[in-house]
Amino acid sequence: NSLTGFNRVTITTSSDASYYAVGSSFAVVVAGTVDSQTVRAVVGSFSVQARAGSGGRQTTQDLGSIKQSTAATLCVGPLLHPKSGEPVTSVTPGNITARFISGVTSASITLSASGGNNDIAHIANGMYSLEVTSGNVGTLGPFKVSLVDSDAFSPYTGSGTIVPANVHDSLIAGSDTLQADITQAGGSAV
């Protein structure tokens, strides 16, 4: 429409109730030409009653890299109250639906308060320590941890990468040297 500067856009979802159905999510896209350059960008998003949790919140976190086939303690969170958004400082492990997803495998995790496998304990400000067993982290590659207790906190998803022991020990822990096999030098096979 050749309008320059900042513009206000109104989207009337009542104009087509079947298109703007409850549970749908949408992206707001701007497309056109600016200074002879074609521009297409997502400038916003919205949903029609399709938000995660009661308060529309969901916590996602990068958990970094963990060592393959070695039990680890992850720092997860913050876990936030679904309505107030305040950090949750106490949870009941048995009420949490916990999943560890590695590759194409998804496994339930039975959480405990202490003294067992997969302990979860509050550290501070809604942050929790979560133990994962060596069995949970046996497959190399990306992983996700999902924690859900809709009465206590908004959904949580953490993701990271399971790496070989040598990679972890050399690049993260600094306790080893990275193994490198040379197959070519100066353009010639070795």
Side-chain angles (χ1 to χ4, degrees):
N1 62 11
S2 301
L3 296 176
T4 60
F6 292 99
N7 295 278
R8 180 179 177 196
V9 175
T10 302
I11 299 170
T12 308
T13 58
S14 61
S15 63
D16 186 345
S18 62
Y19 182 76
Y20 293 109
V22 170
S24 300
S25 296
F26 302 90
V28 180
V29 178
V30 172
T33 305
V34 177
D35 294 331
S36 302
Q37 299 292 317
T38 301
V39 176
R40 183 174 177 89
V42 175
V43 296
S45 63
F46 69 97
S47 63
V48 180
Q49 296 178 0
R51 299 187 190 268
S54 302
R57 296 172 186 86
Q58 180 167 357
T59 302
T60 58
Q61 178 185 21
D62 180 1
L63 296 170
S65 298
I66 57 176
K67 186 175 180 177
Q68 181 185 23
S69 299
T70 304
T73 300
L74 306 174
C75 181
V76 299
L79 301 184
L80 303 174
H81 190 274
K83 293 181 182 166
S84 71
E86 294 294 318
V88 173
T89 59
S90 177
V91 296
T92 304
N95 293 346
I96 300 172
T97 301
R99 311 247 354 129
F100 192 91
I101 303 152
S102 180
V104 295
T105 304
S106 176
S108 292
I109 301 174
T110 301
L111 301 179
S112 62
S114 65
N117 292 330
N118 304 117
D119 292 351
I120 187 167
H122 184 251
I123 301 168
N125 300 320
M127 300 299 292
Y128 286 77
S129 64
L130 172 64
E131 293 178 1
V132 291
T133 66
S134 58
N136 295 134
V137 297
T139 304
L140 291 174
F143 74 90
K144 289 191 179 295
V145 174
S146 169
L147 303 174
V148 178
D149 181 348
S150 56
D151 293 330
F153 57 86
S154 296
Y156 166 87
T157 304
S159 58
T161 305
I162 300 168
V163 297
N166 176 253
V167 172
H168 180 275
D169 292 347
S170 59
L171 297 179
I172 297 167
S175 60
D176 199 354
T177 56
L178 186 60
Q179 180 180 343
D181 296 323
I182 298 175
T183 57
Q184 187 176 10
S188 300
V190 177

